[in-house]
Amino acid sequence: MHMHNPYESRPAADNKDADVTVYRAETDYLKAAPEYKHLSQEKNGAVQVAVNIRRELKKAFPGFKFSVTTRSCDCVNIKWTDGVTEERVKAITDKYRDSYFDSMQDLAVSCRSRFNEIYGGVGYVFTKREYSGRLKEKANVIFMQKYGHAFTGKEKTPEMLKRGELWKEGHYFHRNGFAVQTEINKILYQTE
């Protein structure tokens, strides 16, 4: 009688059957996962992705208003003003990307996951956080608290930031060789 050695590779047919079983189990789990029960499983391309992103953002950030639109069959745009940082939004939306462009090969490369097969995926998910005058003023105050000693007598206003006048300010004194506006933009990016 021949005993099966568990360290030997299984025949190809057994491997294929095992792969199918694992695939089905993972797919069934994702379809029934409680954290995704509010998402659409209809196959509608970018429309489905936009609906699901809208639902996830509403659940994660109640009270914040997001504009989620489709630009083409393979692109979703998300815009909002102030509120949560772009990093926190991308933590939710990045899983909806199902391809990326490889410029070395000059072609789109699929990275489609089981999540994308069930809840949708697109090649491009763009996020754009806009800043109100109130948030710009807050960033200006934070900047002046951190670096104001180097700019005595030189008040920075949100209007100057809006007009782009702060790119040329402080280029030589700033510790990293950046202009004031660069540092204020960093503060805006990180501030909720």
Side-chain angles (χ1 to χ4, degrees):
M1 183 165 139
H2 181 326
M3 298 283 293
H4 177 71
N5 180 346
Y7 299 104
E8 288 178 7
S9 62
R10 292 184 292 176
D14 286 348
N15 283 339
K16 185 177 179 185
D17 290 342
D19 290 345
V20 169
T21 302
V22 168
Y23 174 83
R24 285 187 181 146
E26 289 175 355
T27 301
D28 290 344
Y29 170 78
L30 273 174
K31 285 182 177 180
E35 63 268 29
Y36 301 132
K37 70 180 178 189
H38 60 290
L39 301 180
S40 167
Q41 294 183 20
E42 296 175 21
K43 304 293 183 242
N44 290 331
V47 172
Q48 177 190 14
V49 171
V51 165
N52 285 341
I53 287 175
R54 216 175 277 119
R55 288 177 180 176
E56 284 210 68
L57 292 174
K58 187 174 184 175
K59 182 179 178 188
F61 310 112
F64 288 104
K65 183 175 168 60
F66 294 90
S67 169
V68 182
T69 58
T70 58
R71 191 164 82 190
S72 69
C73 63
D74 200 31
C75 179
V76 173
N77 290 321
I78 303 140
K79 290 197 298 191
W80 70 102
T81 302
D82 296 348
V84 296
T85 63
E86 195 166 356
E87 189 176 329
R88 289 180 63 198
V89 170
K90 283 183 176 185
I92 291 170
T93 62
D94 280 353
K95 66 182 168 275
Y96 288 97
R97 290 208 47 209
D98 67 359
S99 63
Y100 65 92
F101 185 75
D102 182 344
S103 60
M104 294 298 287
Q105 298 182 64
D106 194 28
L107 60 88
V109 178
S110 175
C111 57
R112 191 167 179 80
S113 67
R114 286 192 183 84
F115 179 89
N116 298 136
E117 291 172 14
I118 300 164
Y119 299 107
V122 292
Y124 304 96
V125 178
F126 295 114
T127 57
K128 182 172 195 248
R129 180 180 180 212
E130 296 177 346
Y131 307 113
S132 68
R134 185 181 59 75
L135 190 63
K136 289 177 183 178
E137 181 60 40
K138 182 178 178 180
N140 189 36
V141 168
I142 293 169
F143 174 83
M144 291 307 283
Q145 288 171 345
K146 283 174 92 173
Y147 306 109
H149 61 279
F151 298 98
T152 41
K154 298 179 182 183
E155 184 180 350
K156 309 294 174 251
T157 66
E159 293 75 31
M160 292 171 75
L161 179 67
K162 188 175 182 179
R163 290 190 305 262
E165 295 174 11
L166 299 180
W167 284 114
K168 54 191 171 204
E169 283 290 322
H171 189 73
Y172 296 105
F173 337 53
H174 202 266
R175 65 185 168 94
N176 293 325
F178 294 117
V180 170
Q181 192 154 353
T182 303
E183 191 64 28
I184 290 175
N185 286 342
K186 283 183 196 175
I187 293 167
L188 281 168
Y189 184 80
Q190 298 167 350
T191 303
E192 289 196 12

